[in-house]
Structure formats: C-alpha cells, structure tokens
Amino acid sequence: MTDISCEYSCETAAQTLEWIHAIIRFIEPYSSLMEAHVVNFFKDRLWEAVDKEWMDCLSQESVENLLLIPCGVIQDHWPASLKRFLITLKSLSYRRNQVDLQTKFPGLRVDSLNGVLIQGMNLKKRHEVEILSAIVSFITKSVGAQVIIDVGAGQGYLSQVLSFQYHHSVVSVDASSHHGRITDARSERIRKHYAAQIRKSGSGHMNLKIPKTVTCEVSSINVLKSICRMPLFKVEEDKLQRHEIDGRKPDFVSVAVDESSFVLAGLHACGDLSVTMIKTFVELDNIKAVVSIGCCYNLLSEDKSMDASSQSGFPMSSGIRSAGLSLGKCSRDLACQSAERWRNLKEDSGLHNFDLHAFRAAFQMVLHSHYPEVLVTCPSIGRQGKAVRRQQQRRILHSSFNKNSGDGIGSKLDKFGSCDKSSTCESATCETKFRHFENFTLSGLQHLHLQLLQDTDIYEIWKENEPFMEFIGPYWSLRAAMGSLLETLILLDRLLFLQEQGIALKTFMLPLFDPSLSPRNLAIIAMKN
C-alpha cells in the first residue's frame, strides 16, 4: 500500500500557472469521467468509458480499499496504469494536512472558547471557529484594520468570537433574516453573560463589542463595497444594531462613506460569495486583507466565453481564461467531494452508498423506459433522487428498530433495509437488494407524483442491470478521486487571480483545519503591503 504527497508549489504566479497547466493537461483525457452524470450509469453504460483492466481489477477489490482511492491510497497488485493515474493525480492535488500555524503566523495564540461562546456549535464548527477567529484577529492586528466583515456569517459564530473574545468591531453579513435574528439573540445572551462576569469581578465598566448584523444578499461586488461604506459604528458598540437591505436596488450604493479599514473573512462562504470577497478586496483600497475558505463549488457561476470582463465565479484568472478551460456543473459538483469523508466511512456505510447509487441509476432506467417525458420536464431529478435516498435511510433505521423490537409489521415499505449483511446466501442477498430497489422505485415515483404503470416490470429492469452493479463502486471511487484535484484547480485559479494583480500583495493558500474534522480546510489569504 502506497501513499503519495504533492510536489508542486504556488508561491509565485509563474509557479501557480505551471501547476494549473499541469492539471489541465492531466484531466483532459478524463473529461468523460468528470462530466458524467452517475444517474445515467446504466443508460449510458458509463463504465465502458473507463479502462477495462481498471474496472475488472477494482470490481474484485474490497469496499475498504475502494473507499481509500480518493485519498490516493493504491494497492501493489493494481495495474501499473491505474497506479500511475492515482500517483499523478495525488501529486497534482494540494496537500490537506493541517499547516503548522505557529510557523506561518509567528506569535499566533489560539485560545480555547469558553462555554457560552461554544453553545450551539458541533465539534467541527468549534474547531473551525477557534482556529479561524485567532488567525483573522492576528491578521487584522497585523494590517492595522479597524473592522472585520464576516461574509456569509450564518448564525454568527465567527463574528461573536471575534467580537467578545478578541474585542474587534465586526459586521456580520448574511442573506437570511432568520440567521440575522438568531445572531442578534445569541449575541445578546453572550453580552449578558460577559456583563454579569464583569459586575461579579468588580473590574468596573468594560466596553463590550457586539457584532452589527446586516441582512443582505451579496449579489455583486458593488453590494459588498456599499456595506463597507456604511457607517455602522457611529453608534455605541455595545448596542445591538441590525440592518435589512435589498442589495438589488440601484439606490443601495448611494450610502454614507465610512473611512474605516477592513478585513474580509468568510468561513465556507458559498459559491460566488468567496469570489466576490476576493474581487472586492482587490478593488477597494481600504480593505487590507481577505481570508476566504470557500465551499459549494457546484453553485459557482461559470463563463465559457472566456470574456475578461465577466463577473462569473470561474474562471477568475487570466491564466485559465487564456487556456480556454471550462469545467461544467458535474465537474464542479465533483470538486465538492471530500477524500477524508470517504476515508472515514465504515465498510457498511460505503457499501450502502454504492447500493443507493445503483438504485438511483436503475431508477433512471425505469424513467427512461416508461416516463421519458419526466427526464425532459424535470431537470432537478438528481436532487429529488437525493431526497428519496434520505427517506430510504430513515426507513432503514425505522425497519431495524421494528425488527429488533419484534414488531411484525411486514409491508414492502417497512421492510426496506430490514435485512442486513448477515445474510449468507447470495441469492437471498440479491432478493433483498431487489426489494430495496423496488421500494426505492415506488418511493421515487411517488415523490415525482407518478403512478406505477401496469406494464412496468421493475424486476425485469433490475435483472437487466444487476450484472453491471459491481462497477458502481469502482466507478464512483475513481470519480471521487478527481474531486480534490478539481478543488485544487478552482482554488489555484483564485490564487492566481490575486497574484496577477500587479499590486503589492502577500498571498498564500493554507490548510488551516484538521482535515479529519473539517475536510474543506483550504484558505486563501491575501494582505496588502
């Protein structure tokens, strides 16, 4: 078993562009794998587009080893061409192991969060906020900025730690008014806690800073520019203040000017939001730094015309525009795949996920054969399939409970998932899987408000496609292995955009979090000298 690490650098624009070109050359022969829609696995016989030697080998591989493929772990007995593919792929992907924070930020102090600040946070969120708040505070002091703008703030966890623990002036921006109200209510509870602590200690008056909340859809650079100009701190900083703004109105940009200097921070700012942050940082002199951790690359806008004036989310850099590369939605979806999550899946969970992908692809054959109009008129069928899968998983838990409690409920729907891997007879296992698929189909049709047609032979469709289901796991594992590389490409595009600006910037990309806790851990950081 072999593990591989990255061998490229992105310290300069030339190095970043060289890395990007290497990725583009590598992925070109695999465009069909990246752009495939796996619901069409049987309909388009997708496995036939992959090297037959690879598929034959991997179809005999254990689920445990398939789940390690996205992490670049290879087995000695695999074909040499397959090993070269994964070794090269891994060498082109940005490393994900958490960086030594002290080496990159000398003197950085990461303080533990107290009980009142971590209320409502799960372990992942606490880990992210604890580290990112310390880094943003460190950078804010380094560049001498007065205000931090938390873009895509959600329920305000990062904003509140920066305000109450690190004593910064913070503007918390989110598109959801519900999130804004939660942020304010939570901030008020935290303020009362700190005020009580101050009174109890007898330390006198301390000016507590509370995040100012802005509810606004940041739909363009101009919207974020205008928020930066709002005089939000002309009132007392220890008072709640919330603004609800329609950023789509043209008169929104005509607001008073705040001459403060800013740092933009985004913890998993979704889709184009991270791009908007980076472009606004470049365009406004008084934004001194940006700390961007992106996510939801599937929601990025993409310009295939390669127009340099385009405001799309991908590509940003002239380097990728010159190369004429476009990704497409399926590839951007794939960039969201997390190798660490694959690694952490148990064998049963991995097998179950492969089965669900097989059921969804076979369900597509039902639609293709008997309801072709649905495939034309219902473009969101993929997302509906995900909803069906979630329903099925809930039924599995329900069925297992009924089985263990001795409940004799025996309808087809209640039996979904009630047979587990303890079945030793191969024919019994096939029968169980067919029952799962039958229920999946009935639930899917119901979800799409369709009636089961009399001439629909679910078993016949299952029987026709069942021999090829052994290729689902290998195919999905190979696709998922491309995910880290595609995310690397998208983030290098953002980094190169910053490096191309021709102004004095310090820019770098770092994995800030432990990938086992937070797989989407790559931050792009830029500071004006």
Side-chain angles (χ1 to χ4, degrees):
M1 185 169 69
T2 308
D3 209 341
I4 317 106
S5 58
C6 179
E7 58 183 37
Y8 284 81
S9 175
C10 54
E11 293 182 6
T12 67
Q15 290 174 329
T16 305
L17 188 58
E18 179 186 10
W19 191 345
I20 286 171
H21 284 160
I23 293 174
I24 292 173
R25 287 192 301 270
F26 175 77
I27 64 176
E28 187 175 4
Y30 303 105
S31 58
S32 62
L33 184 63
M34 296 187 308
E35 274 298 287
H37 204 335
V38 184
V39 298
N40 295 324
F41 184 77
F42 299 123
K43 184 174 78 68
D44 296 340
R45 300 179 69 88
L46 294 178
W47 67 92
E48 293 182 348
V50 180
D51 188 302
K52 186 177 185 302
E53 187 181 19
W54 295 9
M55 296 303 287
D56 288 343
C57 171
L58 294 179
S59 65
Q60 304 303 313
E61 197 57 77
S62 69
V63 172
E64 179 183 9
N65 286 343
L66 291 179
L67 295 175
L68 293 175
I69 288 176
C71 292
V73 179
I74 63 178
Q75 308 302 320
D76 291 338
H77 63 275
W78 287 356
S81 59
L82 175 57
K83 289 192 282 189
R84 281 196 303 272
F85 168 79
L86 291 171
I87 288 170
T88 307
L89 192 154
K90 186 69 174 181
S91 72
L92 288 167
S93 299
Y94 200 95
R95 67 194 183 281
R96 301 309 172 103
N97 294 333
Q98 186 179 16
V99 71
D100 183 341
L101 297 175
Q102 283 296 332
T103 300
K104 198 64 186 179
F105 305 101
L108 175 72
R109 178 178 171 180
V110 180
D111 294 329
S112 297
L113 305 183
N114 63 38
V116 69
L117 285 173
I118 67 172
Q119 286 180 4
M121 296 188 200
N122 58 24
L123 181 62
K124 172 180 177 290
K125 182 64 70 176
R126 177 178 177 177
H127 172 72
E128 294 166 346
V129 170
E130 199 165 77
I131 291 173
L132 189 60
S133 60
I135 291 171
V136 172
S137 176
F138 182 90
I139 290 173
T140 301
K141 292 174 182 176
S142 298
V143 300
Q146 288 90 43
V147 180
I148 299 167
I149 299 183
D150 181 7
V151 183
Q155 298 185 25
Y157 295 130
L158 178 63
S159 298
Q160 288 150 355
V161 173
L162 287 166
S163 290
F164 290 105
Q165 181 151 310
Y166 290 100
H167 313 296
H168 292 288
S169 299
V170 180
V171 180
S172 180
V173 181
D174 196 84
S176 167
S177 57
H178 175 66
H179 284 164
R181 289 189 292 271
I182 290 176
T183 299
D184 284 350
R186 195 170 183 275
S187 294
E188 180 61 15
R189 287 197 302 272
I190 296 171
R191 185 197 67 78
K192 288 179 179 178
H193 168 82
Y194 277 92
Q197 293 291 96
I198 292 168
R199 288 194 301 270
K200 187 176 179 180
S201 66
S203 58
H205 178 72
M206 180 183 290
N207 185 25
L208 293 173
K209 294 185 176 181
I210 298 180
K212 309 303 179 186
T213 57
V214 173
T215 297
C216 178
E217 182 179 349
V218 181
S219 55
S220 69
I221 297 171
N222 285 336
V223 173
L224 195 49
K225 283 182 180 178
S226 298
I227 292 172
C228 291
R229 296 186 179 114
M230 293 175 68
L232 294 169
F233 291 95
K234 301 300 183 185
V235 298
E236 296 174 88
E237 291 200 282
D238 62 346
K239 302 295 183 185
L240 287 171
Q241 184 184 11
R242 183 155 65 90
H243 301 261
E244 293 207 20
I245 300 162
D246 186 352
R248 294 166 294 184
K249 291 184 177 178
D251 61 348
F252 172 58
V253 296
S254 58
V255 295
V257 175
D258 186 342
E259 296 180 354
S260 299
S261 58
F262 300 89
V263 169
L264 298 181
L267 175 54
H268 297 143
C270 190
D272 284 349
L273 197 53
S274 291
V275 173
T276 300
M277 289 171 58
I278 292 170
K279 289 182 177 179
T280 308
F281 161 75
V282 168
E283 292 198 16
L284 279 189
D285 291 339
N286 61 336
I287 299 179
K288 301 302 181 182
V290 60
V291 183
S292 168
I293 303 175
C295 72
C296 303
Y297 308 116
N298 54 311
L299 300 179
L300 276 174
S301 59
E302 184 171 1
D303 179 23
K304 297 185 179 182
S305 71
M306 301 300 151
D307 182 356
S309 63
S310 169
Q311 295 300 313
S312 64
F314 183 87
M316 290 183 70
S317 67
S318 297
I320 288 191
R321 280 202 166 91
S322 298
L325 175 73
S326 62
L327 287 179
K329 186 179 183 303
C330 288
S331 293
R332 286 185 277 109
D333 276 338
L334 203 52
C336 300
Q337 287 290 323
S338 162
E340 284 297 325
R341 288 193 176 128
W342 277 72
R343 186 201 293 269
N344 293 331
L345 277 177
K346 302 297 184 184
E347 184 177 347
D348 284 352
S349 298
L351 187 61
H352 181 63
N353 283 342
F354 293 154
D355 284 346
L356 288 177
H357 282 299
F359 298 159
R360 179 61 186 87
F363 178 58
Q364 192 81 345
M365 295 300 292
V366 174
L367 298 178
H368 177 68
S369 299
H370 299 282
Y371 309 88
E373 70 284 355
V374 172
L375 299 181
V376 176
T377 61
C378 192
S380 62
I381 183 68
R383 291 195 176 276
Q384 292 169 345
K386 290 177 184 177
V388 172
R389 290 200 295 273
R390 287 194 295 269
Q391 293 169 9
Q392 305 295 9
Q393 287 173 314
R394 287 195 294 269
R395 288 194 181 107
I396 288 171
L397 293 175
H398 177 67
S399 300
S400 297
F401 173 79
N402 286 340
K403 180 182 179 183
N404 293 335
S405 64
D407 194 331
I409 296 174
S411 73
K412 287 183 179 180
L413 292 177
D414 289 334
K415 282 183 177 178
F416 183 90
S418 62
C419 296
D420 58 24
K421 290 187 70 179
S422 62
S423 301
T424 56
C425 175
E426 185 175 338
S427 61
T429 301
C430 291
E431 175 67 16
T432 299
K433 285 192 176 184
F434 167 66
R435 294 303 174 193
H436 293 184
F437 170 62
E438 183 180 39
N439 179 67
F440 188 103
T441 298
L442 295 174
S443 297
L445 292 175
Q446 183 181 21
H447 190 87
L448 296 174
H449 308 292
L450 298 171
Q451 297 294 322
L452 182 66
L453 302 177
Q454 285 188 343
D455 63 342
T456 304
D457 190 338
I458 298 176
Y459 181 72
E460 186 62 29
I461 290 174
W462 170 264
K463 190 169 66 174
E464 288 176 0
N465 294 286
E466 193 271 337
F468 309 112
M469 290 184 182
E470 63 180 357
F471 298 128
I472 280 274
Y475 188 85
W476 242 116
S477 300
L478 290 171
R479 283 196 83 235
M482 304 285 289
S484 292
L485 182 61
L486 291 169
E487 182 183 24
T488 296
L489 177 62
I490 290 169
L491 295 181
L492 287 177
D493 172 53
R494 297 175 185 182
L495 186 66
L496 182 58
F497 170 80
L498 288 164
Q499 293 170 334
E500 290 172 341
Q501 293 311 304
I503 57 177
L505 296 178
K506 183 179 181 182
T507 61
F508 43 91
M509 185 157 69
L510 295 173
L512 298 183
F513 310 135
D514 180 346
S516 65
L517 287 173
S518 178
R520 194 115 294 121
N521 68 347
L522 291 176
I524 291 178
I525 299 172
M527 295 175 279
K528 290 171 182 166
N529 296 332

